């Protein structure tokens, strides 16, 4: 396991990006996959440089807090706010300290006293007022906001969830197909590498509201996902200079992982459950285009 750890800088190195799809000798099964079966032969987010979102810090933070706690029960921790922003706005995933400093300034936090577990909650009476402000800024620069996002089609949902919370989304009543491995793979092929465990869980809970624990808390535990990821042959764990564990697909394995994900979710039973358990059915085609055709 220690041999698999590496510094964060390696994922940005030319050799890492150059050899992303040059490992068919190491992983011969990759050569068996026909190119036309794949949407892409490499993670499209690896080389993409997302611009900085053109939104004020209070708008970004408010979107994060409310989406992390749609029912406004518990608020959100400092670390989860950072993970949310780095996930949905990948500019911050490559500028994490800038993101942290933005949140610190917004809450007048003392870095010496910072633990990452500080909790922030939006007063219910402020939600209508903040909704107007958020919609105003989003409409003003919608094109640029979408360009800055991991998945631009999620913008409307983020704003809706801020305004209305979960409401009575029917997906809350259905668990996704039961496979921590395949759900983790779905996250890793979709989000901007490298990814923290917190980012992976935030992404999956955003997609599948039942994972918040409203149905069966024993079915999907975060430690089960972590165990699946840590022990997976296609996933590499490494530690950043600040001591945070991050995860990325091993070089050259993206096509095989994508192939496995598509096969798993394309089976009739899994596809039906996927469509019922995801926040919006149209998200399926956004994440896995032409899955059943």
């Amino acid at each position: 396991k220690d041999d698999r750890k590496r510094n964060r800088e390696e994922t940005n190195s030319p050799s890492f990006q150059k050899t992303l799809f040059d490992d068919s000798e190491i992983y011969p099964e990759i050569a068996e996959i026909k190119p036309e079966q794949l949407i892409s032969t490499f993670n499209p987010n690896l080389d993409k440089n997302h611009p900085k979102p053109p939104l004020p810090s209070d708008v970004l933070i408010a979107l994060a807090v409310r989406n992390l706690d749609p029912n406004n029960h518990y608020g959100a921790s400092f670390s989860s706010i950072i993970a949310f922003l780095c996930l949905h706005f990948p500019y911050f995933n490559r500028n994490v300290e800038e993101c942290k400093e933005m949140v610190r300034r917004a809450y007048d936090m003392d870095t010496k006293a910072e633990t990452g577990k500080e909790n922030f909650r939006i007063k219910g009476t402020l939600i209508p007022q903040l909704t107007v402000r958020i919609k105003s800024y989003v409409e003003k620069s919608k094109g640029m906001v979408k360009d800055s996002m991991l998945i631009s089609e999620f913008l409307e949902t983020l704003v809706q969830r801020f305004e209305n919370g979960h409401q009575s989304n029917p997906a809350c009543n259905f668990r996704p197909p039961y496979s921590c491995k395949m759900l983790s793979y779905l996250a890793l092929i979709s989000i901007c590498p490298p990814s923290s465990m917190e980012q992976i869980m935030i992404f999956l809970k955003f997609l599948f509201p039942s994972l918040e624990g409203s149905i069966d808390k024993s079915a999907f535990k975060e430690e089960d996902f972590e165990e699946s990821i840590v022990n997976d042959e296609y996933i590499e764990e490494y530690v950043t200079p600040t001591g945070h564990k991050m995860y990325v697909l091993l070089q050259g394995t993206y096509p095989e992982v994508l192939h496995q994900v598509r096969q798993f979710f394309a089976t009739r039973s899994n596809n039906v459950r996927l469509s019922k358990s995801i926040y919006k059915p149209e998200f399926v085609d956004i994440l896995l285009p032409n899955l059943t055709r």
Side-chain angles (χ1 to χ4, degrees), residues 8 86-87 89-96 192-194 199 246:
R8 180 173 186 165
C86 290
L87 166 66
F89 301 96
Y91 168 85
F92 291 121
N93 204 43
R94 294 175 177 173
N95 298 275
V96 179
C192 189
Q199 286 174 313
M246 305 295 285

Side-chain angles (χ1 to χ4, degrees), residues 225-279:
F225 282 100
E226 187 166 9
E227 182 179 357
S228 173
I229 287 173
V230 169
N231 295 320
D232 194 279
E233 61 180 328
Y234 291 145
I235 300 174
E236 182 172 17
E237 173 194 303
Y238 65 96
V239 180
T240 69
T242 54
H244 293 93
K245 291 181 180 179
M246 305 295 285
Y247 302 95
V248 66
L249 293 174
L250 280 166
Q251 296 178 23
T253 62
Y254 177 85
E256 169 63 17
V257 172
L258 175 59
H259 181 65
Q260 288 189 27
V261 170
R262 292 182 64 82
Q263 279 194 322
F264 177 80
F265 288 111
T267 62
R268 180 172 177 78
S269 61
N270 286 340
N271 190 259
V272 169
R273 184 166 284 277
L274 174 65
S275 298
K276 288 183 176 180
S277 61
I278 202 164
Y279 193 85

Side-chain angles (χ1 to χ4, degrees), residues 192-210:
C192 189
S195 312
S196 67
M197 194 66 228
E198 194 164 19
Q199 286 174 313
I200 291 169
M201 293 308 301
I202 288 173
F203 182 74
L204 292 176
K205 288 178 180 180
F206 173 80
L207 292 179
F208 305 108
S210 68

